[in-house]
Amino acid sequence: MAIYELACETGHRFEVIQSYTAPLPSCPECGGATRKIPSSFALGGTAAVPPPPERMPQTWKGTYRGDRDYVTDLRRTAESRQKLEDKYPELAGDRRPIVAHEGRYEAAPLRAGDAVPAPSEGAGHGHGHSHGHGHGHAHTHGRGHGHGHAQESAKSRPATDG
């Protein structure tokens, strides 16, 4: 059984399910003779755009330590993206090589030719952003951490002769 789209001479259109060898029915609206017409079609699935190079793994660790199947899949994905960018150059974006992509450059990779930004105030402490206050590090934890508390208490006690 097949689905056919039919039309009569006056322009009425309808679908019918029938065998390939069965005669075509007459139009249900006007009773006129019918003929097969090309059907519209539907596509299933979705098209996926390969990710840009910035979203591909940038380190050996990101490739599951060089797993052969994963690296082969990455190579195919990169080739698909390259073909897409060759066909549609407006998708290519910045093609300059990335020279730094970890640490403070993780969110915005440093590319060849970019000026190296000055380190932020908190960068030396692993914070990666400014807190808006100085870092005197006079933290009060409520616990002794060997900051000389025992020596100070010994000095503040009066000496005894005894």
Side-chain angles (χ1 to χ4, degrees):
M1 300 296 265
I3 300 174
Y4 296 104
E5 192 167 346
L6 305 176
C8 69
E9 296 296 321
T10 58
H12 300 120
R13 296 174 78 144
F14 62 100
E15 289 182 351
V16 64
I17 299 175
Q18 66 179 42
S19 166
Y20 176 75
T21 57
L24 296 177
S26 57
C27 177
E29 292 190 42
C30 67
T34 58
R35 61 183 168 76
K36 292 179 185 175
I37 59 171
S39 296
S40 60
F41 60 94
L43 295 176
T46 59
V49 176
E54 297 83 26
R55 293 191 36 225
M56 298 288 283
Q58 302 291 320
T59 64
W60 180 249
K61 185 178 180 182
T63 64
Y64 296 105
R65 305 236 180 255
D67 177 71
R68 171 184 250 164
D69 295 331
Y70 187 73
V71 170
T72 300
D73 187 52
L74 286 175
R75 186 174 293 122
R76 286 186 186 130
T77 300
E79 288 169 359
S80 296
R81 179 65 188 206
Q82 185 63 47
K83 287 178 186 176
L84 181 70
E85 289 178 0
D86 289 344
K87 188 173 182 179
Y88 302 101
E90 64 274 11
L91 297 176
D94 194 347
R95 289 192 170 189
R96 294 177 298 150
I98 296 173
V99 294
H101 55 81
E102 294 178 331
R104 68 182 179 151
Y105 302 108
E106 188 172 350
L110 182 67
R111 293 186 177 272
D114 286 348
V116 178
S120 62
E121 184 180 327
H125 300 290
H127 298 298
H129 61 278
S130 176
H131 292 285
H133 62 273
H135 281 290
H137 289 286
H139 300 288
T140 305
H141 297 286
R143 296 183 185 95
H145 289 286
H147 293 292
H149 297 295
Q151 292 174 352
E152 288 177 17
S153 60
K155 288 179 186 175
S156 60
R157 280 184 279 167
T160 58
D161 291 333

